[in-house]
């Protein structure tokens, strides 16, 4: 246990600020994302959750530091951040619709290949890709164009692409939005299976999903961290109830 | 997995084993193009030289030269999503490099091209000198467009210029290039271009045998680059290029720099256009700014759009068809032919955005064959759901 603790990765964010010409979408956020836990990032619309992830993945410019494996993500370009082991999905699933499921995953594996080898056709299915196909349960659909997949399957394909990339930090932006209850459960179980050796950060609006699967919750509000802790701790926090979870039913449950 | 097998047997109980049927389909889609290329080779290299008159064969040779540029556009635009509206520039680089060499050949050793005596003081600019050498000229035909397209492409693509802005920039390039040529009559022949050649690499241009061989080279290059593009399209890079075209940001978040992916296609397209230009000149016997300007670039694009930009054969066949239609129509309706071409272009863009090449899959979907499995998609969804849990 001690050894695995020493080997644990973490992403440490300090003083992260994203300034959109005067408006601070993210305002001095300090956060630590630990390996092996499903870390949920919640908060009302406009709280700065997606902007925070955008800053950590090079999509918008942020100040402060975000150290992961001795490198500051805030100084790197998007594709370099990915190559450093940090991956993300987007609110709307953006798989390559014309390409097959297999091709989608194979492209995600490209960062582990030499550039020159990309001028050759794929021989047999790479092991990493075959594993991911099984993990996300899309193996029977490997040769279907990704465009014909159901909404939930597209999101799983996105997770699969992160697996193939071998992303050690995964940012998932509203992955279960629009999914059926069954699909949500499948997604939750999928994430629990793969989280052991990685850090998974989930932006979510679905509170039921959050309660069932969150190991750790960070609540954001107006660009700042409002509260942190386990689901129970966060739910018990009166400030959180006020801005976000504060419904009469919640109060009854806990009171 | 087990559920899928059950589905498939239910759907295709009467037919062959579904997995073997599917692998046949995959085999056809992987190697079908090879038969298509073989058919093209048969028509262009065996049938045409025997069946067509020297004049028609020469025309076909010119269309093949244009087709090379169009095939490059198919790569950059159809697969890479870059609407290149200035391929005339790269076509022109190859064409002028070849024309300069042939002009110097005609002038004889230490001679000066005739137009320089006519319009200038009879001295030749220093940068003409290396083109006396045949090997240097051949090298320049590849290296010059590669260098220019790399520098331009790097500057444009790294700044993430795309869509209409990219198209306008490349179009402006063609305008600038043609304007530069016209303005430098003493160095490049200006509006007249370069013409009155006698030999190409020592072979008499008026010898029917040489003419035929030039055609064979032009058509052979089309076949060669069809093979190159086929290999490129089925490579991992080909898949990545399509992915970049469809979702550039997503590709960035898979650890690639999309600019590099597109840059490679842009450079290859430029080299193909340049080689097309180089073989165009000895066949046509002239190159002038009208071959490289904005409207020439758009004419190249029209063939690609008509044929089908994303398909392997569409750009080549489209370019040859447009070239053929252009000369036939212009013989019969010298004043109206551009309207015909314009109308055809509008019709295709409106009703067949994928070009004529998209007719085939469309027809196939009208008559579902035993190879299609329309029923299999729905149950498979459940299968995956069950798998993931």
């Amino acid at each position: 246990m001690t050894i695995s603790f020493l080997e644990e990765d973490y992403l440490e964010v300090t003083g992260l600020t994203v300034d959109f010409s005067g408006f601070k979408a993210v305002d001095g956020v300090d956060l630590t994302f630990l390996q092996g836990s499903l870390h949920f990032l919640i908060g009302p619309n406009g709280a700065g959750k997606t902007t925070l992830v955008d800053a950590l993945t090079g999509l918008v410019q942020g100040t402060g530091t975000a150290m992961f494996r001795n490198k500051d993500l805030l100084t790197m370009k998007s594709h370099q951040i990915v190559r450093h082991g940090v991956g993300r999905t987007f609110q709307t699933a953006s798989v390559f619709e014309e390409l097959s499921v297999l091709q989608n995953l194979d492209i995600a594996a490209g960062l582990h290949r030499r550039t020159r080898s990309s001028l050759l056709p794929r021989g047999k299915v790479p092991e990493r890709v075959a594993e991911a196909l099984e993990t996300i349960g899309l193996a029977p659909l490997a040769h279907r164009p990704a465009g014909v997949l159901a909404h939930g399957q597209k999101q799983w394909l996105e997770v699969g692409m992160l697996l193939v990339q071998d992303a050690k930090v995964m940012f998932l932006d509203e992955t279960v939005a629009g999914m059926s209850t069954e699909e949500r459960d499948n997604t939750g179980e999928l994430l629990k299976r793969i989280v052991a050796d990685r850090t998974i950060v989930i932006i979510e609006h679905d509170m039921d999903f959050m309660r069932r699967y969150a190991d750790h919750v960070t609540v954001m509000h107006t660009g700042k961290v409002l509260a942190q802790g386990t689901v129970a701790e966060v739910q018990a926090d009166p400030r959180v109830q006020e801005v976000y979870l504060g419904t009469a039913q919640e109060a009854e449950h806990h009171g | 997995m087990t559920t899928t097998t059950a589905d498939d047997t239910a759907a295709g109980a009467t037919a062959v084993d579904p997995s073997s049927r599917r692998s046949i389909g995959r085999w056809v889609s992987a190697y079908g193009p090879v038969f298509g290329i073989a058919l093209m080779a048969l028509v262009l290299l065996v049938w045409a030289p025997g069946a067509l008159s020297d004049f028609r064969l020469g025309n076909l040779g010119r269309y093949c030269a244009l087709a090379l540029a169009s095939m490059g556009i198919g790569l950059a635009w159809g697969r890479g999503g870059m609407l290149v509206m200035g391929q005339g520039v790269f076509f022109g680089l190859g064409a002028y490099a070849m024309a300069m060499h042939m002009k110097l050949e005609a002038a004889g050793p230490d001679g000066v091209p005739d137009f320089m005596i006519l319009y200038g003081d009879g001295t030749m600019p220093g940068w003409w000198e290396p083109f006396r050498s045949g090997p240097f000229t051949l090298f320049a035909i590849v290296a010059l467009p590669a260098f220019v397209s790399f520098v331009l492409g790097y500057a444009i693509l790294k700044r993430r210029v795309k869509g209409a802005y990219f198209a306008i920039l490349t179009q402006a390039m063609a305008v600038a290039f043609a304007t530069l040529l016209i303005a430098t009559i003493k160095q490049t022949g200006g509006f007249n271009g370069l013409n009155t050649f006698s030999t190409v690499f020592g072979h008499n241009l008026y010898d029917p045998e040489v003419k035929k061989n030039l055609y064979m080279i032009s058509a052979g290059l089309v076949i060669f680059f069809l093979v190159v593009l086929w290999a490129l399209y089925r490579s991992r890079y080909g898949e990545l290029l399509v992915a970049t075209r469809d979702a550039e940001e997503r590709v960035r978040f898979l650890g690639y720099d999309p600019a590099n992916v597109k840059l490679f296609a842009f450079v290859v397209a430029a080299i193909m256009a340049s080689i097309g230009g180089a073989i165009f000149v000895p066949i046509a016997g002239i190159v002038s700014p009208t071959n490289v300007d904005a409207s020439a670039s758009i004419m190249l694009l029209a063939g690609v759009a008509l044929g089908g930009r994303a398909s392997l054969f569409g750009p080549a066949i489209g370019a040859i068809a447009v070239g053929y239609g252009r000369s036939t129509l212009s013989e019969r309706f010298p004043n109206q032919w551009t309207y015909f071409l314009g109308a055809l272009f509008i019709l295709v863009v409106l009703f067949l955005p994928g070009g004529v090449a998209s007719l085939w899959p469309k027809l196939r979907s009208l008559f579902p064959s035993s190879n299609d499995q329309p029923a299999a998609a729905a149950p498979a969804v459940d299968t995956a759901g069950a798998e993931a849990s």
Side-chain angles (χ1 to χ4, degrees):
Chain A
M1 276 316 270
T2 24
I3 294 168
S4 85
F5 176 78
L6 283 175
E7 283 177 347
E8 255 178 26
D9 275 326
Y10 59 91
L11 166 60
E12 180 139 45
V13 179
T14 43
L16 177 62
T17 300
V18 178
D19 195 324
F20 291 129
S21 49
F23 170 70
K24 287 190 165 64
V26 176
D27 192 358
V29 166
D30 298 322
L31 267 176
T32 306
F33 298 112
L34 287 174
Q35 181 184 320
S37 75
L38 290 178
H39 192 140
F40 277 66
L41 204 54
I42 63 170
N45 282 326
K49 306 177 299 276
T50 298
T51 311
L52 175 87
V53 173
D54 284 350
L56 295 178
T57 53
L59 208 56
V60 300
Q61 190 61 48
T63 53
T65 58
M67 298 304 292
F68 178 64
R69 294 186 171 176
N70 302 321
K71 278 194 184 171
D72 185 359
L73 301 182
L74 300 185
T75 63
M76 297 159 76
K77 286 183 178 162
S78 294
H79 64 276
Q80 295 167 333
I81 293 173
V82 172
R83 284 179 180 264
H84 193 53
V86 178
R88 73 172 293 183
T89 67
F90 293 87
Q91 268 175 33
T92 47
S94 51
V95 295
F96 308 118
E97 309 239 320
E98 275 190 25
L99 300 179
S100 71
V101 170
L102 174 64
Q103 287 172 327
N104 268 275
L105 290 169
D106 189 66
I107 285 178
L111 73 169
H112 303 293
R113 279 192 294 265
R114 283 207 229 130
T115 316
R116 237 181 317 144
S117 74
S118 72
L119 288 177
L120 296 173
R122 168 181 45 255
K124 60 179 176 52
V125 178
E127 207 172 301
R128 212 190 281 268
V129 172
E131 269 173 33
L133 270 173
E134 289 300 329
T135 311
I136 60 173
L138 295 184
L141 304 174
H143 295 284
R144 290 272 158 74
V148 308
L149 294 183
H151 171 74
Q153 293 172 324
K154 283 186 188 167
Q155 291 286 3
W156 296 332
L157 178 55
E158 292 242 34
V159 174
M161 285 158 84
L162 291 177
L163 283 173
V164 170
Q165 281 177 31
D166 202 19
K168 289 302 179 194
V169 180
M170 294 182 178
F171 291 107
L172 308 179
D173 201 346
E174 295 194 27
T175 296
V176 301
M179 281 190 186
S180 69
T181 321
E182 195 192 340
E183 285 175 326
R184 274 161 211 242
D185 292 345
N186 290 339
T187 309
E189 297 305 320
L190 169 65
L191 295 180
K192 270 165 82 174
R193 277 204 305 274
I194 62 175
V195 75
D197 56 345
R198 45 193 109 233
T199 308
I200 300 185
V201 182
I202 304 151
I203 298 179
E204 202 41 80
H205 278 297
D206 183 326
M207 289 304 118
D208 285 327
F209 184 71
M210 187 270 288
R211 280 189 205 101
R212 281 190 60 187
Y213 295 103
D215 297 314
H216 195 88
V217 183
T218 298
V219 186
M220 285 186 71
H221 184 52
T222 61
K224 294 190 175 73
V225 174
L226 187 71
Q228 291 207 63
T230 62
V231 176
E233 284 167 1
V234 165
Q235 280 186 327
D237 192 316
R239 290 172 304 166
V240 176
Q241 291 177 11
E242 192 182 321
V243 302
Y244 198 67
L245 297 168
T247 64
Q249 287 161 323
E250 288 297 331
E252 272 170 26
H253 272 292
H254 293 278
Chain B
M1 281 302 249
T2 45
T3 344
T4 328
T5 333
D7 286 336
D8 278 351
T9 21
T14 52
V16 211
D17 170 38
S19 62
S20 78
R21 210 172 47 187
R22 205 178 295 166
S23 66
I24 289 172
R26 230 175 286 153
W27 193 84
V28 168
S29 68
Y31 292 98
V34 179
F35 294 109
I37 294 172
L39 193 67
M40 285 275 284
L42 214 61
V43 171
L44 286 178
L45 298 174
V46 180
W47 174 78
L52 298 181
S53 69
D54 286 357
F55 174 71
R56 293 282 175 210
L57 200 63
N59 277 352
L60 187 57
R62 277 195 296 137
Y63 310 150
C64 284
L66 296 169
L68 284 167
S70 291
M71 286 155 66
I73 295 175
L75 170 68
W77 182 33
R79 299 282 168 141
M82 294 171 280
L83 181 48
V84 281
M85 295 185 81
Q87 286 309 85
V89 172
F90 303 115
F91 186 85
L93 285 178
Y96 270 86
M98 184 60 116
M100 282 160 70
H101 176 69
M102 288 163 67
K103 209 66 201 147
L104 289 167
E105 243 183 56
D110 301 322
V112 168
D114 48 10
F115 73 90
M116 289 183 185
I117 301 164
L118 196 63
Y119 297 109
D121 51 8
T123 55
M124 194 173 71
W127 53 270
W128 268 71
E129 202 56 51
F131 288 92
R132 274 192 206 282
S133 149
F136 175 84
T137 305
L138 292 180
F139 169 75
I141 285 166
V142 175
L144 212 58
F147 175 74
V148 173
S149 63
F150 182 84
V151 172
L152 281 172
Y154 192 90
I156 297 174
L157 296 169
K158 284 282 178 187
R159 281 181 179 74
R160 304 191 189 176
V161 177
K162 353 179 176 175
Y165 300 99
F166 182 89
I168 291 166
L169 255 173
T170 51
Q171 173 91 89
M173 236 162 62
V175 175
F177 186 56
T179 311
L180 177 73
L181 287 173
I182 291 170
T184 52
I185 192 164
K186 289 175 196 166
Q187 289 85 30
T188 67
F191 192 79
N192 304 323
L194 299 175
N195 49 37
T196 53
F197 311 115
S198 52
T199 55
V200 55
F201 293 104
H203 301 287
N204 183 356
L205 279 174
Y206 298 97
D207 180 349
E209 198 58 31
V210 171
K211 282 184 171 179
K212 192 177 169 185
N213 286 340
L214 283 170
Y215 163 77
M216 291 301 271
I217 293 171
S218 187
L221 282 167
V222 168
I223 302 300
F224 172 75
F225 276 103
L226 277 176
V227 174
V228 169
L229 288 180
W230 171 72
L232 207 55
Y233 288 171
R234 69 195 288 270
S235 74
R236 281 180 154 131
Y237 170 77
E239 294 174 355
L240 179 60
L241 186 63
V242 170
T244 308
R245 175 194 72 190
D246 292 345
E248 188 167 330
E249 283 311 308
R250 191 70 187 87
V251 166
R252 200 185 301 285
F253 287 97
L254 293 175
Y256 303 94
D257 187 346
N260 294 343
V261 178
K262 286 156 85 174
L263 186 57
F264 181 76
F266 187 62
V267 170
V268 172
I271 292 173
M272 288 176 70
S274 177
I275 291 175
I279 191 67
F280 177 86
V281 171
I283 294 176
I286 181 170
V287 60
S288 77
T290 52
N291 297 119
V292 309
D293 63 6
S295 61
S297 302
I298 287 174
M299 206 51 102
L300 291 172
L301 212 59
V304 181
L306 286 178
R309 61 180 190 262
S311 79
L312 176 61
F313 297 102
I317 293 173
I320 292 173
V322 165
Y324 178 77
R326 208 177 154 176
S327 57
T328 331
L329 287 174
S330 63
E331 280 165 21
R332 283 198 205 155
F333 312 97
N335 295 320
Q336 296 91 359
W337 69 273
T338 42
Y339 295 104
F340 285 115
L341 199 64
L344 186 62
F345 189 70
I346 290 169
L347 282 177
V348 166
V349 169
L350 270 182
F351 297 108
L352 271 181
V356 178
S358 66
L359 267 179
W360 169 241
K362 271 193 185 181
L363 285 176
R364 243 176 51 144
S365 66
L366 284 180
F367 306 100
S369 74
S370 60
N371 274 345
D372 298 324
Q373 312 159 341
V381 174
D382 299 335
T383 316
E387 286 272 321
S389 56

